[in-house]
Amino acid sequence: SASSQVLGQMGIHFWSRDYVEVVQLAEKLPPSQMKRVMEYIRFFYQGIASICLARQTHQPKWRAMGEEAATWMSRMKSVSNWNFENKSILLQAELHYLEGDLESAESAYKTSIKSAHKHKFIHEEALAYELYGIFCYENKMVDKGLKQLLLAVDKYRQWGAKKKVTEVRFLLELVDSADEIHN
């Protein structure tokens, strides 16, 4: 179907961190036309993407989209904690970061990682490590950030996502180079 094709394209752009494309594709997918499983994927991708864009651009529309996704995912957590807990918590971590509540953000990243691990969502565990690593780096916790990104590489490798391994390794090199320049 057209919806599943758009969702597939969203996934490709999501995992490549091409967040502008993710939210543009999400706007083409009216929730009422999708099966619930497709809807949760759309909200998760759109939520992470829009919160990251809100942090970068300070545009209220991205924040609103991220908050909507977090609310939706929180409701889904009550339907199936197993499937939605780590996703809901990761969206909350990103919202806390957006709001400048770094302590709550860090706690939520760690909880999301534990939940994804417990529920055996290795790709989402990798994503949580990656976002936590970026959070640490951007908040001047470079060594901790490097450790999280290395853990993300390992989890992406276990998942079989060779392109993500390459992308996160490149990010690691950038972080390490920037740290050397500043020290």
Side-chain angles (χ1 to χ4, degrees), residues 127-139:
L127 175 65
Y129 275 123
E130 180 182 1
L131 295 176
Y132 181 33
I134 291 167
F135 162 83
C136 290
Y137 173 72
E138 290 178 350
N139 288 285

Side-chain angles (χ1 to χ4, degrees), residues 50-51 54 59-68 95 98-99:
S50 58
I51 295 167
Q59 290 184 20
K61 73 175 184 175
W62 299 132
R63 177 190 200 99
M65 287 172 82
E67 289 171 344
E68 177 189 12
L95 280 173
L98 176 63
E99 293 161 359

Side-chain angles (χ1 to χ4, degrees), residues 6 16 18 23-24 64 67 69 76 78 80 87 92-93 97 119 129 136 146 152 155 163 173 175:
V6 172
S16 298
D18 183 4
V23 294
Q24 288 173 346
E67 289 171 344
M76 291 307 298
S78 67
S80 174
K87 297 165 190 67
Q92 286 302 319
Y97 181 18
H119 298 132
Y129 275 123
C136 290
L146 287 169
K155 294 298 174 179
K163 188 172 181 190
E173 289 173 19
V175 167

